[in-house]
Amino acid sequence: MTQDQLKQAVAQAAVDFILPKLDEKSVVGVGTGSTANFFIDALAQHKTAFDGAVASSEATAQRLKGHGIPVYELNSVSELEFYVDGADESDAHLNLIKGGGAALTREKIVAAVAKTFICIADASKLVPVLGSFPLPVEVIPMARSHVARQLVKLGGDPVYREGVVTDNGNVILDVFNLQITNPVELEAQINAIVGVVTNGLFAARPADLLLLGTAEGVKSLKAE
Ligand code: 5RP
């Protein structure tokens, strides 16, 4: 199976998982990226089974609307049962690195509100230790050099993601060469740097369920 077929399989598995729990009042939180796009396309086949969605990026909002799915502002939604999103890496505790698509801040906000965070990923994303994928950090533009110096002190090698402006008008530093053995601590340390909006570690609020696309089928993993 190709990586795209694995992504498609987990996207369909996520739809199959949430569909029986949705009703006409349900609003679904939707992530960003190629795996999330497969999820949106699969979810759209059942758009009469729920009310609408909250999007974690402008790109996701556009795709949802393209399918005729109503998109709500998070502030107007009182309850979000599910948030479904991809990841760049996951460990066995379902701590994640996210933000390859630069949508990490809105993704983290929607994940924080949702009761159940379902991560959908192909098997290549499951790793023993987080950090091979460079950790994205969203930064207020004027603080870029200051934040980069602080990230070096934490042992990383930050690289400015040229030409990328987030939906919030900020920039991204990708931090290379981190061996993330304590993701909860590192997430808090990086977020405490003045000028950081958020970082792509999802450890304070990890996923609740990982649907992993493998050659043997979709596996369901809960945090160890
Ligand atoms: C976007 C993300 C994505 O979930 C992550 O980059 C995975 O993307 P893909 O599903 O395309 O592999 O965090 O900010």
Side-chain angles (χ1 to χ4, degrees):
M1 275 175 111
T2 64
Q3 196 178 22
D4 270 357
Q5 285 169 328
L6 296 175
K7 289 179 179 186
Q8 219 162 353
V10 289
Q12 186 59 55
V15 171
D16 294 343
F17 181 86
I18 69 169
L19 204 54
K21 300 165 183 94
L22 299 180
D23 61 33
E24 69 283 353
K25 289 188 181 147
S26 303
V27 177
V28 181
V30 183
T32 299
S34 57
T35 320
N37 283 345
F38 283 125
F39 171 73
I40 294 167
D41 297 347
L43 188 65
Q45 307 304 312
H46 308 276
K47 63 184 176 196
T48 54
F50 61 102
D51 182 12
V54 166
S56 64
S57 65
E58 298 299 336
T60 287
Q62 288 312 314
R63 197 175 186 97
L64 288 162
K65 287 177 189 167
H67 280 296
I69 297 173
V71 176
Y72 295 106
E73 291 295 325
L74 184 61
N75 286 321
S76 70
V77 172
S78 58
E79 208 168 88
L80 212 52
E81 186 63 42
F82 296 109
Y83 177 59
V84 181
D85 197 359
D88 299 302
E89 283 185 348
S90 174
D91 68 15
H93 304 287
L94 309 196
N95 300 310
L96 311 174
I97 286 184
K98 290 183 47 54
L104 59 159
T105 300
R106 294 188 186 194
E107 291 172 341
K108 199 175 275 197
I109 293 167
V110 184
V113 173
K115 285 191 196 146
T116 307
F117 175 8
I118 302 170
C119 182
I120 49 176
D122 66 87
S124 70
K125 306 290 182 70
L126 185 63
V127 296
V129 179
L130 299 174
S132 297
F133 190 92
L135 177 65
V137 181
E138 181 166 354
V139 177
I140 302 285
M142 72 173 286
R144 176 162 60 95
S145 299
H146 165 70
V147 172
R149 286 189 291 271
Q150 304 309 308
L151 290 168
V152 169
K153 287 182 194 163
L154 290 176
D157 296 317
V159 174
Y160 173 43
R161 202 184 293 180
E162 297 271 357
V164 170
V165 177
T166 70
D167 286 347
N168 313 307
N170 299 313
V171 297
I172 298 284
L173 294 172
D174 290 306
V175 191
F176 287 75
N177 301 321
L178 290 171
Q179 276 269 321
I180 306 174
T181 49
N182 190 338
V184 173
E185 187 179 70
L186 187 65
E187 181 179 0
Q189 278 178 316
I190 295 177
N191 282 344
I193 299 170
V194 172
V196 168
V197 178
T198 196
N199 71 82
L201 275 171
F202 284 54
R205 200 278 184 254
D208 299 301
L209 174 67
L210 172 62
L211 297 175
L212 195 70
T214 77
E216 297 81 45
V218 175
K219 294 185 178 164
S220 295
L221 280 82
K222 292 222 166 144
E224 277 183 2

